[in-house]
Amino acid sequence: MAIKHFLQFSDFTLTEFEYVMQRARIIKQRFKAYQTYHPLLDRTLVMVFEKNSTRTRLSFEAGMHQLGGAAIYLNTRDSQLGRGEPVEDAGQVMSRMCDIIMIRTFEQEMIEKFAANSRVPVVNGLTNQHHPCQVLADVFTYIEHRGSITSKKVAWIGDANNMLYSWLQAAQIFNFHLHISTPKGYDMDMSLVSADPSQYTLFDNPSDACAGVDLVNTDVWTSMGYEAENQARLQAFDGWIVDEEKMARANTDALFMHCLPAHRGEEVSAGVIDGPQSVVWDEAENRLHVQKALLEYLVVGEIS
């Protein structure tokens, strides 16, 4: 099979996503039933971290072990990448010693260069511009709880970050509509938006963005790497908290999601994230299952 990378959400077609989600359902069922399943026996995943992580490391490392393979953790501070080794050289070397590579870093350009010089599939565990694995888990979680996401309405409340850009690509592929409300000065970089304008609507008022939607989604106000802006962001984002009042404007069966970690009282109220419409814990767990399906697909191809 030709090398296939997953560097941003648009790298897969709808048919490929449907296949991966079907496999995720099967793999999750086997996991819950304590059935051993080792399609990646004797295969190795290398995980390269420039940004710290909880869910990304745990889900990829545990997932690879559960599939019968091995996972190796590399932090750029402890490797030659942190001492100035060219990304292109690292891609050449690492890809000769493993079967698949996951990278969690700052700039999308870095992971694109690495993949261009890799002999094995490369997966984006997060960059400043895209977070495709998280949105894959989110879409899977919605489908698991409510069925097809096609033609649904999804609200994004917060700044235009990597999550939003991946959600915009997902809207194109799965054909749903996004309601987007970002504080002034934290709006979208249109060079990163490929979605047709008909697939999203911009709202000045975050409460209006929640009206009549099927899913409300948010993220921390200060993402990793932007800590110096924290005080300014707290002021600019005043009023963008997803609280019970905003959720009440969504459809009665609407779900709430957050990619975590969460700051109760800032971007979301405790009553919402810990309330009956929240599926954040299923969402977090599903990172494990969809990424196992993703690893299986990228390493061995389709399973008949």
Side-chain angles (χ1 to χ4, degrees):
M1 187 173 86
I3 297 174
K4 179 82 177 179
H5 303 299
F6 189 54
L7 307 183
Q8 51 185 296
F9 205 88
S10 59
D11 284 343
F12 279 23
T13 64
L14 177 60
T15 300
E16 287 177 305
F17 279 121
E18 288 174 340
Y19 170 78
V20 169
M21 290 187 181
Q22 176 192 21
R23 292 300 301 163
R25 282 192 291 272
I26 293 169
I27 289 170
K28 182 176 182 177
Q29 288 168 359
R30 285 175 167 166
F31 176 78
K32 296 292 186 181
Y34 294 94
Q35 295 176 1
T36 300
Y37 180 58
H38 288 166
L40 300 187
L41 186 66
D42 201 32
R43 303 299 180 105
T44 304
L45 163 70
V46 169
M47 306 180 298
V48 181
F49 285 87
E50 190 172 17
K51 278 190 172 186
N52 295 331
S53 165
T54 299
R55 280 150 293 275
T56 298
R57 179 178 178 180
L58 183 58
S59 56
F60 272 105
E61 190 164 345
M64 193 64 182
H65 285 298
Q66 290 166 17
L67 293 175
I72 297 173
Y73 172 85
L74 290 177
N75 191 295
T76 52
R77 294 190 301 271
D78 307 320
S79 68
Q80 295 299 335
L81 269 172
R83 299 178 62 195
E85 180 175 20
V87 170
E88 295 87 346
D89 292 1
Q92 291 277 1
V93 173
M94 289 184 193
S95 64
R96 288 171 179 258
M97 299 184 183
C98 65
D99 302 282
I100 187 165
I101 298 167
M102 185 282 297
I103 301 177
R104 182 178 168 96
T105 187
F106 289 90
E107 294 304 323
Q108 185 75 12
E109 183 183 8
M110 183 273 198
I111 202 170
E112 299 277 355
K113 284 182 181 178
F114 192 103
N117 290 274
S118 175
R119 295 162 57 128
V120 300
V122 177
V123 176
N124 181 353
L126 174 143
T127 63
N128 287 349
Q129 291 77 32
H130 299 283
H131 200 355
C133 289
Q134 180 64 60
V135 173
L136 177 58
D138 294 356
V139 173
F140 177 83
T141 304
Y142 184 87
I143 293 171
E144 195 175 48
H145 281 267
R146 294 288 186 263
S148 174
I149 198 170
T150 299
S151 301
K152 301 298 184 182
K153 293 180 180 179
V154 177
W156 177 263
I157 310 300
D159 67 336
N161 63 6
N162 50 11
M163 284 291 296
L164 174 56
Y165 296 122
S166 288
W167 270 110
L168 282 161
Q169 292 184 353
Q172 272 191 300
I173 295 166
F174 285 91
N175 192 27
F176 58 85
H177 194 86
L178 274 172
H179 286 193
I180 301 169
S181 182
T182 60
K184 284 183 170 47
Y186 297 91
D187 47 357
M188 294 189 294
D189 177 353
M190 296 309 295
S191 69
L192 296 174
V193 177
S194 57
D196 188 282
S198 66
Q199 292 190 285
Y200 62 89
T201 304
L202 303 179
F203 292 83
D204 292 331
N205 186 324
S207 182
D208 292 341
C210 295
V213 302
D214 304 286
L215 170 62
V216 178
N217 211 322
T218 192
D219 195 359
V220 294
W221 289 345
T222 306
S223 298
M224 195 180 303
Y226 298 93
E227 289 82 0
E229 303 175 9
N230 187 53
Q231 288 304 313
R233 284 173 173 263
L234 287 176
Q235 293 179 8
F237 284 62
D238 184 36
W240 262 259
I241 184 173
V242 177
D243 53 18
E244 290 85 342
E245 182 181 343
K246 291 185 181 67
M247 286 300 300
R249 298 200 63 187
N251 291 335
T252 55
D253 65 343
L255 300 176
F256 172 77
M257 291 188 189
H258 190 306
C259 61
L260 303 177
H263 298 148
R264 289 166 177 79
E266 287 187 13
E267 75 276 2
V268 62
S269 69
V272 169
I273 195 170
D274 299 317
Q277 292 173 280
S278 173
V279 291
V280 297
W281 315 121
D282 292 339
E283 177 190 4
E285 179 193 342
N286 282 335
R287 285 287 300 276
L288 172 69
H289 306 302
V290 299
Q291 285 165 192
K292 284 196 287 187
L294 181 65
L295 291 168
E296 178 193 67
Y297 175 62
L298 290 175
V299 175
V300 301
E302 288 193 16
I303 304 293
S304 60

